[in-house]
Amino acid sequence: MTKTGIAAFDLTGKRAVVTGAAGLLGREHAAALAQIGAEVILTDIGETALQAAQTELAPFYGNRIRVAVMDVTSEASILHLADQVGPVDVLVNNAAIDPKVTAEGGGLELSRLEHFPLEEWNRQISVGLSGAFLCARIFGSSMAARGGGVILNIASDLAVIAPDQRLYRKLDLPAHEQPVKPVTYSVIKTALLGLTRYLAAYWAEQGVRANAISPGGVFNDHPAEFVERLAALIPMRRMAELSEYRAAVQFLCSPASSYMTGQNLVIDGGRSII
Ligand SMILES: NC(=O)c1ccc[n+]([C@@H]2O[C@H](COP(=O)([O-])OP(=O)(O)OC[C@H]3O[C@@H](n4cnc5c(N)ncnc54)[C@H](O)[C@@H]3O)[C@@H](O)[C@H]2O)c1
């Protein structure tokens, strides 16, 4: 019988893989899935950070939390993990390089479009976009072959709006030395929405659903001045708390969203509506 209502938020007996899971939000996504019964494999390139994540989550979720090194830029690494863990029902494409906006001043500001290095463009795209494609291809193909599964791509509010570069302005620097949010972030996050729609349509008849979330910025001890500037752009006048994406991840990765595919859930305190 089909589960309805709150009972549909149940992943007992299901296996999930989260990429970039040793980071700030990845751990949270892993906890969200474990909380509703899934066995979760946290994957990342950082072994020490992965161990720390396991130490943090295992007291709550016991042996439903597993960790494994997996580099999303390496097809061999993904295939190796896929081989080791067995059937995967849920994939969360979360890994990304978040280009920090910092400026030393007094030189070429490499974050700016005029100087942004091609190598950096390629490096970030290989993690945030090609990595998501490779994981979707490898895990999604076997989901389709087995009759179903779920892919969740972690985009950003910057998938639906352009960065407001005033957020990063440094008072003491001339215009051409001002640091900016690099072009890569917008391109990668927007492209993930295209990937989401493509996968959703491609595998709909095989029972594989693909959706995205577009989170706004999570407060993580940012400088007060930055928080103030950002809050002024957000109707709810604050950044997100870490736990505020948990329910969305549970909804989109479980049968609670069984008739939803190819969509992007924007959770940004209203930033993108004004
Ligand atoms: N933190 C936010 O405010 C925010 C807002 C919107 C969207 N996001 C998105 O959420 C996701 C997680 O963000 P976060 O803040 O937790 O970032 P984070 O930097 O804390 O975590 C990213 C993780 O990805 C891992 N990673 C990097 N390269 C990898 C590779 N080649 N293979 C596997 N893993 C790799 C890193 O080791 C790191 O643990 C990202 O996609 C980010 O763009 C974050």
Side-chain angles (χ1 to χ4, degrees):
M1 203 172 75
T2 310
K3 289 180 180 167
T4 56
I6 197 75
F9 287 80
D10 182 16
L11 289 178
T12 304
K14 302 290 183 190
R15 182 176 294 130
V17 165
V18 181
T19 70
L24 182 71
L25 272 175
R27 291 179 196 209
E28 192 59 29
H29 302 330
L33 298 172
Q35 195 176 33
I36 56 171
E39 176 197 341
V40 187
I41 297 135
L42 291 87
T43 67
D44 206 291
I45 45 171
E47 196 159 4
T48 314
L50 274 176
Q51 296 306 337
Q54 185 165 38
T55 304
E56 184 186 305
L57 298 181
F60 299 98
Y61 309 111
N63 59 9
R64 290 210 307 284
I65 294 292
R66 294 167 59 190
V67 298
V69 172
M70 183 181 85
D71 179 350
V72 299
T73 66
S74 158
E75 198 170 349
S77 173
I78 304 167
L79 285 168
H80 178 70
L81 183 103
D83 226 37
Q84 287 201 315
V85 297
V88 169
D89 306 286
V90 175
L91 166 68
V92 180
N93 278 321
N94 169 78
I97 293 173
D98 185 8
K100 297 292 173 228
V101 185
T102 48
E104 299 307 321
L108 214 57
E109 178 45 49
L110 291 180
S111 65
R112 296 190 67 80
L113 187 63
E114 294 86 343
H115 310 300
F116 197 72
L118 178 61
E119 309 79 64
E120 193 54 24
W121 165 277
N122 286 334
R123 186 176 79 92
Q124 292 180 22
I125 285 185
S126 75
V127 176
L129 184 56
S130 308
F133 152 69
L134 278 177
C135 289
R137 198 193 75 197
I138 291 167
F139 294 109
S141 298
S142 46
M143 288 176 196
R146 285 183 293 110
V150 175
I151 298 170
L152 178 63
N153 293 321
I154 308 299
S156 161
D157 54 0
L158 296 187
V160 293
I161 54 173
D164 189 329
Q165 306 293 8
R166 293 172 301 178
L167 284 171
Y168 312 103
R169 191 166 289 166
K170 300 258 190 277
L171 287 177
D172 49 343
L173 290 178
H176 67 282
E177 286 183 20
Q178 287 291 337
V180 294
K181 189 79 174 177
V183 61
T184 34
Y185 200 74
S186 293
V187 169
I188 290 165
K189 295 308 184 182
T190 307
L192 281 178
L193 302 189
L195 178 67
T196 303
R197 286 188 285 268
Y198 188 97
L199 297 170
Y202 192 81
W203 279 324
E205 290 180 26
Q206 282 75 35
V208 179
R209 297 186 298 111
N211 288 294
I213 61 170
S214 281
V218 176
F219 177 69
N220 185 26
D221 292 330
H222 295 83
E225 193 191 2
F226 175 82
V227 176
E228 207 174 295
R229 285 182 192 175
L230 180 52
L233 301 175
I234 300 173
M236 290 179 75
R237 297 285 174 262
R238 64 175 179 85
M239 296 182 77
E241 290 169 22
L242 194 52
S243 63
E244 287 185 299
Y245 302 116
R246 211 180 249 225
V249 169
Q250 293 171 336
F251 171 63
L252 291 173
C253 292
S254 71
S257 59
S258 55
Y259 195 52
M260 183 168 169
T261 198
Q263 300 300 323
N264 175 37
L265 196 54
V266 182
I267 308 168
D268 65 352
R271 181 171 173 197
S272 60
I273 61 168
I274 53 170

